[in-house]
Amino acid sequence: MQVSKRFLALLDQQLAQFTDRPDLRALVVYAALPGDSGQPTLMAIGHWPATLALSGDDPLDAASGGAPEPDTRRWLALRDGTLLLGALRVDAEQLPWPPALEARLEATARCLTQALRLDQDQQQLGRELARREDQLRLLVHQLRNPLAALRTFGQLLRRRLDGDAANLTLVDNLLHEQGQINRYLEAIEAIDQNAAPSLAAPGGPTPLLLPPGLQGAEPQPLETLLGPLLQRAAATASLQGRPWHGPTDGRLPTWRGDANAVAEILANLLENAFRYSRGGGAIGLLCQGENGPNGTPQALTLAVWDSGPEIPPDERTRIFERGQRGSTGASRPGSGLGLALARELAAQLGGSLELQVPPAALDPHNPDLPSNGNAFCLRLP
């Protein structure tokens, strides 16, 4: 069994506190190892004083090589419940121990027991994380092949459909989504290989929520990412047999910033709308601009809305917390992270994400907005 350097440093510190006790000859700490017979064996992992010589042949009796133990030797078990983690061997000048020495030895044994258990748990966790990282690397590597094949087939299909504008748009969207998945894989690999920059936001300690490979270093036009996202939403609505209401006149907002982060937020909101709203109900995206007194743009609101069922009042705050889900989607797959991630990303952009019930309250003059349902409003500066 191996123990960490941190535990060994703590062990030396605990044993060194007994240098003021001339009535102690030696202290030895052992860790329990699983034996071939099913019974644990003990291996010495630390001792005091530093000049003490331990025999590798018989760790239980280093001084006499198998002879009977001295009458002044006692053992304190390092036990966590029914699990024997190790032992503390005490060689004293005489018995019984003075009460003050006995209390110190028992406190040391308790400290070493807790530290040894934590050390073992940490090492077990480290081995499990290493195993999962190996599996993740393998999956990322294996995903490259089918993704490359999809891109090849998509490009071949695009050539065959040359001149068929309607179907070419579908193929272009497939190729765009394939490229997006590739970007996710590259971000995972960058994090795994520690090749990505620090996840600290520039000028502050706030961690960035998107992998570095998905962050926009320079302001980007939102239209470039919003267009394919809305085409995907329209296709999903068509497959589900429900109405889809995109931005008025098909015009996309002219906003520049971290478009990747905004696209992640809207993708989460649209996925939730299609997954949890009533079957056949309408879904849409409303774009509203706000101008200042002199007519200059001040804010942009992007609202993903559905026609119900409405989220119950007592859940409207809780659903934005990590790991929390509303009663509407409790029976469906999900992690409860989408809305929490979306709100945190919105705050990172200097904006906000709020729930508006019903959507019609956003614009009473818009006949498309239902009087029942939910609207998640992303406000961007």
Side-chain angles (χ1 to χ4, degrees):
M1 169 187 159
Q2 294 182 343
V3 292
S4 68
K5 293 181 179 179
R6 177 182 292 183
F7 175 81
L8 291 177
L10 173 66
L11 174 58
D12 290 342
Q13 182 186 47
Q14 287 293 308
L15 297 184
Q17 66 173 302
F18 292 98
T19 54
D20 65 333
R21 300 296 310 201
D23 48 352
L24 287 180
R25 291 201 300 266
L27 297 172
V28 185
V29 177
Y30 300 87
L33 301 176
D36 296 336
S37 63
Q39 296 297 322
T41 60
L42 297 178
M43 178 185 71
I45 56 175
H47 56 80
W48 173 88
T51 56
L52 182 66
L54 295 178
S55 167
D57 298 331
D58 188 353
L60 298 184
D61 191 358
S64 56
E69 293 191 358
D71 292 337
T72 55
R73 175 175 297 175
R74 292 293 183 269
W75 296 82
L76 295 176
L78 307 182
R79 189 184 298 278
D80 182 28
T82 60
L83 179 63
L84 179 66
L85 302 178
L88 171 61
R89 193 187 87 191
V90 183
D91 292 350
E93 292 289 345
Q94 61 181 6
L95 289 174
W97 301 328
L101 176 60
E102 181 175 8
R104 288 175 63 182
L105 288 169
E106 290 179 348
T108 297
R110 289 194 297 270
C111 175
L112 293 176
T113 298
Q114 296 176 13
L116 189 57
R117 183 54 190 266
L118 289 173
D119 193 64
Q120 290 182 0
D121 289 347
Q122 184 181 37
Q123 292 192 57
Q124 175 63 31
L125 178 60
R127 289 190 292 269
E128 178 63 21
L129 288 175
R131 184 185 68 83
R132 294 190 180 190
E133 287 175 359
D134 288 341
Q135 291 181 337
L136 181 61
R137 292 190 195 100
L138 177 61
L139 288 173
V140 169
H141 178 269
Q142 294 301 98
L143 275 172
R144 294 288 187 191
N145 293 331
L147 281 174
L150 284 176
R151 181 168 185 80
T152 299
F153 292 143
Q155 290 171 337
L156 290 173
L157 182 60
R158 197 181 193 287
R159 292 180 184 177
R160 295 187 181 184
L161 294 176
D162 189 22
D164 187 347
N167 287 321
L168 275 179
T169 300
L170 293 176
V171 176
D172 287 339
N173 287 338
L174 287 175
L175 291 172
H176 176 271
E177 297 298 333
Q178 184 272 340
Q180 190 75 349
I181 296 175
N182 258 339
R183 295 179 64 227
Y184 279 112
L185 291 180
E186 290 168 0
I188 292 172
E189 284 185 329
I191 293 175
D192 182 59
Q193 297 169 2
N194 294 321
S198 169
L199 295 185
T206 304
L208 295 173
L209 298 171
L210 290 180
L214 298 178
Q215 297 157 7
E218 298 294 335
Q220 309 156 66
L222 181 59
E223 304 98 299
T224 58
L225 293 179
L226 195 55
L229 189 63
L230 296 183
Q231 289 176 3
R232 186 206 307 176
T236 302
S238 177
L239 289 173
Q240 294 185 1
R242 63 166 80 210
W244 162 254
H245 300 273
T248 305
D249 300 328
R251 291 181 296 178
L252 301 181
T254 55
W255 181 90
R256 291 183 65 84
D258 191 345
N260 283 311
V262 176
E264 290 293 325
I265 296 172
L266 293 177
N268 273 309
L269 298 179
L270 286 167
E271 176 68 19
N272 285 349
F274 281 110
R275 180 180 297 180
Y276 300 124
S277 64
R278 64 181 178 85
I283 289 177
L285 174 69
L286 176 68
C287 301
Q288 291 180 323
E290 299 178 23
N291 295 328
N294 57 357
T296 58
Q298 279 194 331
L300 170 67
T301 297
L302 302 172
V304 175
W305 57 265
D306 63 68
S307 55
E310 292 184 356
I311 297 171
D314 60 339
E315 298 179 4
R316 293 174 186 175
T317 299
R318 181 167 55 85
I319 57 174
F320 287 100
E321 299 174 4
R322 286 178 178 260
Q324 297 294 325
R325 306 179 64 204
S327 56
T328 304
S331 61
R332 303 183 184 183
S335 61
L337 293 177
L339 287 177
L341 172 65
R343 173 169 275 189
E344 291 174 27
L345 278 173
Q348 184 175 295
L349 294 169
S352 63
L353 178 64
E354 304 295 337
L355 172 63
Q356 171 67 56
V357 178
L362 294 172
D363 184 358
H365 304 292
N366 188 332
D368 292 335
L369 297 178
S371 57
N372 293 291
N374 312 281
F376 287 89
C377 303
L378 171 64
R379 191 174 189 273
L380 300 171

